[in-house]
Structure formats: C-alpha cells, structure tokens
C-alpha cells in the first residue's frame, strides 16, 4: 500500500509578489496518477512549466542575474549576454525586461523557431550561430563570452559553469520539493544541460536527509554523462544525437561537478521512449510537456521499477510542449526522425500537424 502524501497544491500568499521575479518558484508538485498506479510508487513531477516565463530556467536566469548584481558586476542599463539552447535565454529576456537590462542571446541554429521567435518578442537580440562542439572556438558559449568581454557594462552569465545556477536551485527548488513531499521522498532524477537543477536539488536533498534521498542522472542519446557515471568516471568522446533540446552534455560542467560524485547512478533514455511519453502524458494526465520533460518522466518510471513499490520519486517537468509543437506534433517531422511508429496507434490522433 502506498503511504499517504500531502496535497501538493500551489501555495498562494495573501499579498502580491514583486513583479516577474517575485513570481519565480513555488511551483506545484503533481502526482502522475497513471505511472504511479502502474509502478506502485508515487511518481511526482515538479511543474516548472508554471514559472512565469514557462520553464525551469526562470530560476537559473534569476539566480545568475541576482548573483551578478550582488557582486557589483551588473550596473543599471547594463547588458546581459548568454549562450543558450533556448529556455535560459527566455528566462533571461524576461528578467532583463523586468529589471531594465539589455539582453543578447547566442544560440545554436538548430533550436525550434518557437523559441527564437519568443526571444525576439521579449526584446532580446538573438544571434543564431552554427551548432558546433564546445571545443570549437565558434561554439555559441564562447561567442557569447567574447561579445560580453568586448561590450562596455556587459556580463556573460555563464550558465554552464557559474555555480550560482546550482546554488539557486539548492536554495529554492530543493527545499520546495522537500516540503511538498512532507519529507517523504526516496529518490530524485532529472536530465541535465548546465547541471544546475540536478546538482542543486540533489545536494539539498542529500544534505537535508542525511544521505537517505538518492539522486540519479537521466541522459539522452548523444550525451557522455551516462557512460561517465556508469563507467566510474571515464569521459568518452561524444557521439550520436537526440530530439531533446537543451539537455545532454559532452563534458562535466562546473555546476554538475559540484555534486556528480554523490549521484547514485544514471539512466539513459532513448528518443523513442521520450516521444511516446510526450503523447502519453497528454492523453492520460492532460499535461502538455516537451521532450526533455518526457525523458525525465520516463526516467522516473524506470527508476520506480528498479527501486520497487512503495517509493516516492520526484522529477522535473521542465517546460510545456508549446515551444516545440511544430516538431513534436508534426507527422512529417516525426517521420524524418524515424519516430512516427514509436507513438502507439491510439495516440496518433494527437499528431495534428502535417
């Protein structure tokens, strides 16, 4: 029998919050009914798509900007520069508008048009560049750093290696999960791009539980992190690719490096399972999530099967599918990736775009 868990409703204050930045965080924790019943565990998704900018990266954006302000690195009227696959840029664009800063975003030109359009609508100067490996000096992160260094009164937020990212999750996301589960949590899992969410949350849960909560990395194809963890620390050359955006890595970022040695393990999730879960979550839970969120849910389900019934497992619902719908719900795009048949026949009714 599953142990009872508290109602995981969003907590509303009796007073207004201070603008966009005051609305970041305090997101609901949703029990995924179908998967929980199927596994005999409580599988819970932290609904980060309910942040005001629509994704978990609102937290990183706010944390990075506030850190720069505290350090005296960002002056009024200044410019915030970042290299991002999309959601951190969107969060930064929102925060910059709210705080009066300019925002310049370098990003791989492989990202969805929805993200690029939204960034521009939010007033960001978006600079798509060819997607090349981090080791290449033309990588979007290096170009962002160079632009910031050459621009007066500008900062590069450096989301991958600025550990203010993980620290913000340690101070906010981790405590929220601990409180919302009534301190009854056995495991946490999520994928990583910068490593901020996984490292910050995992560290908090490990410390507050005296090591009882175990955390696991969820990884897409084309990332080296799964093999790094399961091999005991051997960093192999990156190969392959995934439909997921903004997750997976070819190196250990400084954010991830703060906690990676304490992770209990890793799970590798193929694209076929991730895309199927996008459709399953829509059909059975009424939750419209992107592929990286779906990958996290698959990882939580697989972890539940590994750990056995009666456990409480939490993962991150990073963002909604709205920023990817022209791909994820397009029959032509799915077929081009060889994923159309991964979606069960009874769920193909949701493939509404040609």
């Amino acid at each position: 029998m599953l142990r009872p868990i508290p109602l995981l409703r969003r907590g509303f204050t009796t007073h207004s919050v201070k603008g966009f930045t005051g609305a970041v965080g305090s997101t609901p924790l949703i029990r995924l009914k179908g998967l929980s019943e199927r596994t005999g565990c409580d599988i819970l998704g932290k609904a980060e798509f309910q942040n005001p900018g629509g994704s978990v990266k609102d937290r990183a954006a706010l944390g990075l900007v506030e850190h720069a302000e505290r350090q005296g690195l960002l002056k009024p009227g200044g410019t915030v520069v970042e290299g991002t696959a999309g959601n951190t840029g969107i969060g930064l664009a929102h925060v910059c508008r709210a705080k009066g800063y300019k925002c310049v975003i370098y990003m791989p030109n492989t990202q969805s048009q929805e993200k690029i359009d939204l960034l521009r609508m939010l007033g960001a100067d978006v600079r798509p560049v060819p997607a090349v490996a981090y080791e290449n000096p033309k990588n979007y992160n290096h170009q962002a750093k160079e632009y910031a260094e050459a621009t007066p009164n500008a900062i590069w937020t450096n989301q991958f290696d600025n550990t203010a990212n993980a620290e913000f999750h340690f101070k906010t996301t981790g405590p929220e999960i601990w409180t919302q589960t009534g301190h009854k949590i056995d495991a946490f899992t999520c994928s990583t791009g910068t490593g901020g969410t996984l490292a910050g949350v995992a560290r908090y849960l490990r410390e507050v539980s005296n090591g009882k909560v175990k955390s696991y990395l969820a990884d897409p194809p084309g990332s080296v992190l799964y093999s790094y963890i399961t091999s005991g620390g051997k960093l192999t050359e990156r190969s392959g690719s995934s439909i997921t955006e903004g997750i997976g890595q070819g190196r250990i970022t400084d954010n991830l490096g703060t906690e990676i040695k304490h992770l209990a393990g890793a799970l590798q999730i193929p694209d076929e399972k991730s895309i199927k879960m996008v459709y399953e979550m829509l059909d059975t839970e009424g939750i419209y999530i992107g592929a990286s969120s779906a990958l996290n849910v698959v990882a939580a389900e697989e972890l539940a099967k590994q750990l056995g019934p009666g456990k409480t497992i939490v993962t991150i619902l990073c963002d909604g599918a709205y920023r990817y719908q022209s791909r994820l719900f397009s029959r032509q795009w799915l077929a081009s990736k060889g994923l159309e048949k991964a979606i069960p026949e009874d769920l193909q009714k949701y493939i509404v775009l040609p």
Side-chain angles (χ1 to χ4, degrees), residues 263-282:
L263 296 179
L267 305 99
Q268 189 171 57
I269 309 300
D271 283 347
E272 289 80 3
K273 289 187 176 182
S274 295
I275 193 67
K276 179 183 176 184
M277 189 59 75
V278 168
Y279 283 74
E280 182 177 342
M281 285 294 96
L282 175 59

Side-chain angles (χ1 to χ4, degrees), residues 340-351:
E340 187 177 3
K341 292 183 180 179
I343 301 167
E345 190 65 34
D346 63 319
L347 299 183
Q348 296 224 354
K349 60 187 176 183
Y350 297 112
I351 308 177

Side-chain angles (χ1 to χ4, degrees), residues 150-185:
T151 303
N153 195 18
I155 64 156
W156 173 46
T157 45
N158 189 14
Q159 60 165 328
F160 290 89
D161 296 313
N162 183 343
T163 56
N165 178 350
E167 189 66 22
F168 196 80
H169 286 285
F170 176 81
K171 292 179 177 178
T172 66
T173 321
E176 288 174 26
I177 290 171
W178 182 246
T179 300
Q180 288 172 311
T181 57
H183 308 172
K184 305 294 186 181
I185 172 175

Side-chain angles (χ1 to χ4, degrees), residues 49-299:
F49 56 81
Q50 288 201 10
N51 277 304
S55 87
V56 66
K57 294 299 187 178
D58 288 0
R59 295 188 193 250
L62 181 58
L64 292 166
V65 170
E66 288 187 342
H67 175 74
E69 290 174 332
R70 289 193 301 270
Q71 297 295 312
L73 303 174
L74 189 57
K75 306 294 194 298
T79 301
V80 173
V81 187
E82 184 53 277
T84 168
N87 279 333
T88 301
I90 291 167
L92 285 171
H94 276 289
V95 171
C96 286
R97 293 270 42 80
K99 288 177 170 284
Y101 301 122
K102 302 180 185 69
C103 184
V104 177
I105 300 297
Y106 283 82
M107 68 189 304
N109 59 9
T110 54
Q111 300 307 295
S112 66
Q113 191 61 43
E114 288 95 335
K115 284 183 180 179
I116 296 172
D117 291 343
L118 178 56
L119 280 165
R120 288 175 172 156
M121 290 173 193
L122 290 170
D125 177 355
V126 185
R127 303 184 177 203
V129 298
V132 295
Y134 183 82
E135 294 74 19
N136 190 314
K138 292 298 184 182
N139 177 274
Y140 63 101
N141 293 291
H142 304 319
Q143 292 199 50
K145 178 183 179 182
E146 291 169 3
Y147 179 86
E149 291 175 342
T151 303
N153 195 18
I155 64 156
W156 173 46
T157 45
N158 189 14
Q159 60 165 328
F160 290 89
D161 296 313
N162 183 343
T163 56
N165 178 350
E167 189 66 22
F168 196 80
H169 286 285
F170 176 81
K171 292 179 177 178
T172 66
T173 321
E176 288 174 26
I177 290 171
W178 182 246
T179 300
Q180 288 172 311
T181 57
H183 308 172
K184 305 294 186 181
I185 172 175
D186 298 287
F188 172 72
T189 184
C190 77
S191 54
T192 178
T194 67
T197 304
L198 178 61
V201 173
R203 177 187 154 210
Y204 180 85
L205 294 175
R206 174 175 57 81
E207 292 184 0
V208 76
S209 70
N210 293 317
K212 292 180 180 179
V213 179
K214 306 299 182 183
S215 294
Y216 299 78
L217 181 142
D219 219 24
S223 173
V224 304
L225 300 180
Y226 169 79
S227 62
Y228 179 87
I229 292 173
T230 56
S231 70
K234 296 179 180 178
L235 198 59
T236 59
E237 186 175 345
R238 189 169 188 169
S239 63
S241 62
S242 171
I243 63 166
T244 56
E245 296 184 21
I247 60 172
Q249 263 295 345
R251 66 186 180 98
I252 309 301
T253 66
D254 286 358
N255 277 291
L256 184 57
T258 62
E259 186 65 17
I260 193 168
K261 67 179 181 180
H262 297 292
L263 296 179
L267 305 99
Q268 189 171 57
I269 309 300
D271 283 347
E272 289 80 3
K273 289 187 176 182
S274 295
I275 193 67
K276 179 183 176 184
M277 189 59 75
V278 168
Y279 283 74
E280 182 177 342
M281 285 294 96
L282 175 59
D283 187 64
T284 63
E285 304 286 348
I287 300 175
Y288 192 57
I289 56 175
S292 58
S293 300
L295 182 148
N296 286 347
V297 174
V298 175

